[in-house]
Amino acid sequence: MCSRNVVKFPDFDLAAIYVSDAQYNRNIYFDTSPQAVSLYLLYNHWLPRVLVYFFILVDMSLAVFEEPAVLPLPTWATMLVELLCLLVFTVRLVHYAKVIPRDKFWKDPKNICIICIVVLTLIDMIIYGALTATNCYALRWSRVLRPLLLVNVTEGRQLRRAFRSIRNALPEIFYVFLLFMFSVLIFSLMALKLLGKRGLKTMDGSPYFTNYLEIVFDLYVLVTTANSPDVMMPAYNASFIFTLFFILYIFINTYIFMSAFLAVVFNNYKKYLKEEVRQLVRAKRHKMVRAFAVLQERREEGGELVVTQANWNQLVRLVQPDISNAHRELLWSVCDDKNQGFIGKLAFVQLADLLNIEVITLKSRPHPLQSICPTLYLSAPSRLLCRLVQHRGFTIMYDVIILANAVFIGLDEENPMISNSEWVFLFLYLLEILLKLYVFEPRSFFSKHSFWNWFDTIIVVSALIATIINSALKSVGGYTSRQILDIVFILRVLRLIRVVDSIGRFRTIINTLIRIGPAILTFGQLILVVYYIFAMVGMELFKEKVKFYDEDSNDPAKAYCGNPLLKGTTFAQLNYCKNNFNNVMSSFILLVELTVVNQCNGFATVTHVSARIFFVLFHILHVVMVIFVSFVLEAFYVEYSVDKGDLQTSLERKIEELELAVAQEKLQDNLVNTMETIDNDLGAGQSPTANRPTLMFKIASKRYRTVDAFLQRMFEADLDPEDLAENDDAEAQTNFANPSFSSV
Amino acid sequence: MCSRNVVKFPDFDLAAIYVSDAQYNRNIYFDTSPQAVSLYLLYNHWLPRVLVYFFILVDMSLAVFEEPAVLPLPTWATMLVELLCLLVFTVRLVHYAKVIPRDKFWKDPKNICIICIVVLTLIDMIIYGALTATNCYALRWSRVLRPLLLVNVTEGRQLRRAFRSIRNALPEIFYVFLLFMFSVLIFSLMALKLLGKRGLKTMDGSPYFTNYLEIVFDLYVLVTTANSPDVMMPAYNASFIFTLFFILYIFINTYIFMSAFLAVVFNNYKKYLKEEVRQLVRAKRHKMVRAFAVLQERREEGGELVVTQANWNQLVRLVQPDISNAHRELLWSVCDDKNQGFIGKLAFVQLADLLNIEVITLKSRPHPLQSICPTLYLSAPSRLLCRLVQHRGFTIMYDVIILANAVFIGLDEENPMISNSEWVFLFLYLLEILLKLYVFEPRSFFSKHSFWNWFDTIIVVSALIATIINSALKSVGGYTSRQILDIVFILRVLRLIRVVDSIGRFRTIINTLIRIGPAILTFGQLILVVYYIFAMVGMELFKEKVKFYDEDSNDPAKAYCGNPLLKGTTFAQLNYCKNNFNNVMSSFILLVELTVVNQCNGFATVTHVSARIFFVLFHILHVVMVIFVSFVLEAFYVEYSVDKGDLQTSLERKIEELELAVAQEKLQDNLVNTMETIDNDLGAGQSPTANRPTLMFKIASKRYRTVDAFLQRMFEADLDPEDLAENDDAEAQTNFANPSFSSV
């Protein structure tokens, strides 16, 4: 590594790769030969990454077309598509194998997993093809493996981390669960002894609480509250003393154990996540140290190793080509505190974090109309209009209009007056947007962070188009398309959401929820993996056991969902026939229903009592996950409302020093709001902007480019900066690759 | 205050009161005249405090005997009892008024509240008496005020703090709730527009989603998951596209908003609790400073003010008469680090916290049998027996016996072999206890903290007595009392719980749960207050609307719970007739059921649609509370598993220095376990104890005398010790009384 010191022209590409890896927390150990580096660059290009996810999606959605299918396709067609997918995954894996050293490749479990998945799928396809060709019963068992691809691709870091956190917390959770099951078993034994001999009957006349296993199951379901008063009614009708038993049971098993579960999950999650983030940060600094080693030079003999501003500039331009010159200079001035023209290792290492802070560069431009026709735009009536639109009353007026619109939507739209009023409202909304465009500079109005402006415009314009199409169709054929009408209705109602933006507190909550979006997406994938596996297994176990008949079907089997075993059961009585596993769509919907309330008696009736195991397993798994996910979201939510990190503060200080900051009182509000008010200010009368610099910076303070960056910030207080910064390079060499990230 | 410096004999009583107030965090500003002090001592005596709680309990349980009554009593009888209760409360309040200065008394809202409650109850009783005497319809509306007494008595500090925390968190929660309601309203509007015009029918043939208010209510109930698949089935049967709407709805309103609620509650609860604890600690130190001022003397001219060991000893003896000399000396050696014979203010202030740390004094005594008959007890067979009982195998053997017993309990007990086996098991359990008593010193075996030994003995002995009574009854008259048999069964099953103690991880969890018991009790009171109020209101609104008929009644009204409006409803079909508000017992059971699953359609049918308001209100209130309570419990649970506070560590260090500590490896396990193993050690062969001191200390490390002490520990890291220690006495004077604790 030290040999680089004497090289005249440092390898900027290599350094840029290190910085970019540090910025996005990629932990891939690649060869540094020029060929391997260019392969690595290709590997990290957005196109192959998107393609891999696209083909995983295609692979998973094949379930829609395979037997039992929503839209049946011939077997050879789905097989061909699946082969194509497998080919893509193999190519991607081979590419990865070329990038990293061979021994690292075979040590990494995620590569082994992908190879296994591909091979097993191929075997399954051959067996399935052979069996269907000979008309035997065949099973596509390899379909449960598909979602595992999501976990094992290189880009699934977040998902792997989530799985690791759950796996690490599992032993502790397991002990609480065992104790919970022990409590259920003891309570069941007591119920058997107390209630079994009293000759009580349940609602449908069967003996009450006489079979131990049935009692265990009933009491387990009681914890999920699905059979809440029913299971207790026979005992309650006999004597109110027995309710004490049930109340005690619910208190202990639903409330106390749930609290214990939450606490255990919370403790363990925090513990392991902190350790992971610590390693993440350490790996990041190692990579920055490597980049530094590439660019370093010695200013004077025996002096410190430094990086010059010129080299630094070229590096930043390579890492982030779209960065503005002003922004880059700002970053340099933060790094080079003393204006020396070069920076040491410690200042250089900050770069990855600095690049992850979103700094919004605001340019105050005059309104285009002002340039085209200045006399008119700056005339007295025009300026009055500008002032009117910017007045608080304008916002309040439109809030009132939205409320009035809500009332009109609620009324019967077949009344011609009501349906015509829609045109009035559409006109008013369009007018609002046009007025705002007249007053504010269009490019800042439609800037990247002006969420509500985009939302408004898209909703209003689509509503306009849909309404016009709808009335055109109506006037031509007197025919109203139900689909278009549905879209019109949805758009109309969505418009009402805008009112949330006018109330400060609501805006804060909504913005926080929007910001934790990426975290929700990660855990959404986690849930998708589990649901997909259960849907595949459930389809094989329960397909065609329960059939759905159309509303107008006259088949007598309709009353019992096409399965005589269901005759007279609550399942058929409540008309749950469509809750079945007959295709992947129904399976997913049913699993969501089970997530909300776990009821499985219907399926236990049509197959066997042991089918309950499937549902209990799903319930346990999903409770663990939901607790986990809700805790994670909540932790994120809490963390979002705390103060900013050190680095951001130093950046902000610099911005303020340079007198480039947006007025302080604006900064205190949240981002989306601030952006709008800034837009207002900059677009305003144009006179006050004259005595301000034409370029302004604003830190998107609580928005992070990556989830990793956010996690790092979350545990900043607990991480020891010195421990991380002063690592030996030697040590960095040894555990650089995947420091404990190698396992799933 | 400085005048005390010259007093020869310090007022130990006054100082002891200050210390005791600090120890139990009492915030009562009392006069320091000797008469007021003795009145104050009487006020804090345990007897009047217990009496007040007893009479509050009597007052609240009057609901059982008043119309609509479980056990009817004549009106004059309940009225007389209530008058007695009111008299007791008034006497207690007058006593309080005598203790504290008049102006403080009238400024304290809790006194005003009690006066209002007493006066209003008197007025209500007079009106009720007059109306019933003239046979008019009368309402005991003042009954909803009764639980408020629990909140407003001087001892209800914990409860008042809980209410304050909820009240402080309420505004933030309210905004999230408003946003949640906005989301429900928007979704309902969308449902009306999308589904209302399609002519869908619900299961019972009524039109589906056509009335806006009905939709809002249905979707609100969907959030509670009570009507989960049913409300969605008609739309799902029409097209699976609509399920997207419901899934989105559940995702946003059940999961996302619940996370937001949790996060907001968490944030606010922590914030306010920390502030409260800060004030609590400040008030405590002020009181200790006052106690110091009473006892202080100047050793040398111009020197520091100090308290001598003699004075300190007398004070501690007054504050805690049951403290052992050894324990007191230990505490002194912790305070007086340098062995000077006197301590300064800072060391003195610690005393209240030191007294709150439970230190267990272990005396290693020889077994009484050893003293009575040493040759026999120390003979070879006896020692072998001792070793056998202490062997791990003994515990494992009994675990196996317990499991075998569980199987036998599960089998049919009418089989004579099975029922006789019970005697064998009883004998085995008795034998175990006797053997242990033979081996271990009885006083350590039944020491205060040996929870499982007490549990075992009580359960086994009661089971023996109950079984003997049962067989005596059987053999005398061939008659088996159902009640006694029930007790026998319950005791038998409870015995099985013992097995939990043998598994280390389970023991840890159970012990943690037992330790958060006091916290659960506080919040149990909170829930009792809310339930009581809703039960009283519910009884007035819904009594006798739904009637329950006995199993063998032939009344045709039985099929519809005695109310023709319920004919054919699900409520009557599912035989929920006993879920009614006809007496206070049923009301409480029903409220618990509503807590689990909120279903109210039956009651809306028998009265009016607006009755739903009662149920929705109950649901909202109880969700807020349950979230709150679960969060508190969980926070407690998490906090219990962290390290010990500073003071405890210094105490432990001292114990170790003096070589009085129990072997370190024992300390690492949790308390109950440690206690048992210590007992074992001390009772063991008696030879190893010879070379150990005969007196040993053990800190009950995670057990706190009071909830307040626990709270203080919880926030120790965040509280600034210097800020608290260096308060001016002047400032202490001004806000000494109830620093912000004055309001409910």
Side-chain angles (χ1 to χ4, degrees), chain B residues 83 184 395:
Chain B
L83 270 180
V184 171
T395 318

Side-chain angles (χ1 to χ4, degrees), chain A residues 177-191:
Chain A
F177 181 75
L178 267 190
L179 198 57
F180 161 75
M181 276 317 295
F182 178 76
S183 148
V184 171
L185 290 176
I186 288 283
F187 268 101
S188 303
L189 195 56
M190 217 181 264

Side-chain angles (χ1 to χ4, degrees), chain A residues 172 193 197-198 203 225 230 232 236 243 263 409 412-413 486 505 573 576 578 589 593 597, chain B residues 172 193 197-198 203 225 230 232 236 243 409 412-413 486 505 573 576 578 589 593 597 637:
Chain A
E172 286 294 321
K193 289 284 122 178
K197 293 278 164 178
R198 285 174 199 259
M203 245 244 309
T225 73
D230 306 82
M232 153 178 151
Y236 186 19
T243 54
I409 293 174
D412 189 11
E413 77 273 2
D486 281 349
R505 298 266 193 163
Q573 271 170 23
Y576 283 175
K578 207 158 181 178
I589 292 171
E593 281 177 27
V597 176
Chain B
E172 285 296 321
K193 289 284 119 177
K197 292 277 164 176
R198 285 174 196 259
M203 246 249 304
T225 74
D230 307 82
M232 153 176 151
Y236 186 20
T243 54
I409 294 174
D412 189 9
E413 78 272 4
D486 282 348
R505 298 266 192 163
Q573 270 169 26
Y576 283 176
K578 204 154 183 182
I589 292 171
E593 282 177 27
V597 176
Y637 191 99

